[in-house]
Amino acid sequence: MPATLNFIGESAFYSCYELYNLNLPTDLLEIQSYAFEACGLKSLVIPEQVLRISEGLFLECPNLTDITLPSNLREINNGAFQICTSLEAIEIPNSVTILGEGIFYGCSSLRNVALPNSLRAIPKAMFKFCTSLDNISIPETVTRIDEHAFYECQSLSKIALPNSIRTIKERTFYYCINLYEVILPSELETIDEQAFCICESLNNISLPGRLRVIGKQAFSNCTSIAKISFPE
């Protein structure tokens, strides 16, 4: 690509199946939505001046295994890496303050994610169907985890939720069949419906003292639960 290029428009390289490698110019400023949707890209370095990963930018890029994000990146929008089935790891820079919904939806090979220290919320369906995700550290700055965030993360075995979280939204950990240990926040007040439904390996739960609501089918079909400690 020419060094003078500073803008790539929406769906510019849609369905370029044979496009495996690409060197983006250092002066590139913006890449619009779905620009690389369904491309054959295997790896890519996003130039430092790009501040936003647009919606669906790498949607259904089945060969993408390695992506380097700019150190000053500000936002990653809805479905940016959705169904990138070969992506195994990614580091989100600490500069990121805005995350959209379903960013890693269906990234079935994703195992390691480094979340930014400034993160305030894990959006809806962010890791839905990330069936290889086996461990994740949630920053203490997070105050909200939205619906379906870890839906069917079938390799996730344990998780500690920050004390800043007040509500576990509906179906957050639905069908996390290997999840055996959850450390609930001390300030937790609400567990919404089906939050832990079909977590078949979960064997004990210690409920915090501020808990007010356990929603419909919150622990339904958690067939291994042998002990529940209620607050005094």
Side-chain angles (χ1 to χ4, degrees):
M1 286 189 170
T4 55
L5 186 71
N6 56 36
F7 178 88
I8 297 175
E10 184 173 340
S11 301
F13 298 98
Y14 171 75
S15 290
C16 291
Y17 304 119
E18 302 299 317
L19 182 63
Y20 298 125
N21 298 293
L22 189 64
N23 292 320
L24 297 175
T26 55
D27 288 336
L28 187 66
L29 299 176
E30 184 177 357
I31 310 171
Q32 288 199 330
S33 302
Y34 305 100
F36 298 112
E37 180 184 355
C39 277
L41 287 170
K42 295 182 178 179
S43 65
L44 194 67
V45 176
I46 307 294
E48 280 295 312
Q49 295 191 67
V50 175
L51 300 180
R52 177 170 64 99
I53 301 298
S54 300
E55 181 172 349
L57 185 57
F58 299 99
L59 175 65
E60 292 190 77
C61 289
N63 302 319
L64 188 66
T65 60
D66 185 37
I67 185 83
T68 302
L69 301 176
S71 60
N72 292 318
L73 190 69
R74 296 290 183 265
E75 59 186 89
I76 303 175
N77 285 288
N78 295 349
F81 299 96
Q82 186 170 328
I83 317 177
C84 290
T85 53
S86 296
L87 187 65
E88 294 185 3
I90 191 167
E91 182 175 352
I92 302 175
N94 286 329
S95 56
V96 172
T97 56
I98 298 173
L99 293 176
E101 295 181 357
I103 291 172
F104 300 109
Y105 180 109
C107 292
S108 55
S109 297
L110 189 65
R111 297 191 62 184
N112 298 302
V113 179
L115 297 174
N117 293 330
S118 57
L119 189 64
R120 297 294 181 187
I122 295 180
K124 182 178 179 179
M126 183 169 179
F127 298 106
K128 190 171 185 176
F129 301 128
C130 291
T131 52
S132 297
L133 187 69
D134 56 7
N135 190 26
I136 190 164
S137 178
I138 299 177
E140 290 293 330
T141 53
V142 171
T143 60
R144 192 182 80 247
I145 300 177
D146 287 343
E147 301 95 317
H148 297 224
F150 296 97
Y151 189 109
E152 286 200 34
C153 289
Q154 296 181 8
S155 297
L156 190 66
S157 59
K158 58 183 178 179
I159 193 164
L161 301 178
N163 287 329
S164 51
I165 292 175
R166 301 292 188 271
T167 300
I168 298 176
K169 297 291 188 70
E170 63 184 59
R171 300 180 184 88
T172 297
F173 297 99
Y174 186 96
Y175 205 68
C176 292
I177 56 175
N178 287 304
L179 183 65
Y180 70 86
E181 182 181 352
V182 176
I183 299 176
L184 296 176
S186 60
E187 302 297 314
L188 184 67
E189 296 177 353
T190 302
I191 300 174
D192 275 346
E193 64 179 68
Q194 295 188 331
F196 295 95
C197 186
I198 320 179
C199 290
E200 297 175 342
S201 299
L202 197 62
N203 53 37
N204 66 76
I205 288 288
S206 181
L207 300 174
R210 292 183 178 271
L211 190 66
R212 298 291 180 266
V213 177
I214 298 177
K216 179 181 177 181
Q217 296 181 332
F219 295 97
S220 175
N221 290 300
C222 292
T223 53
S224 296
I225 285 185
K227 181 181 179 181
I228 299 176
S229 300
F230 287 91
E232 298 179 359

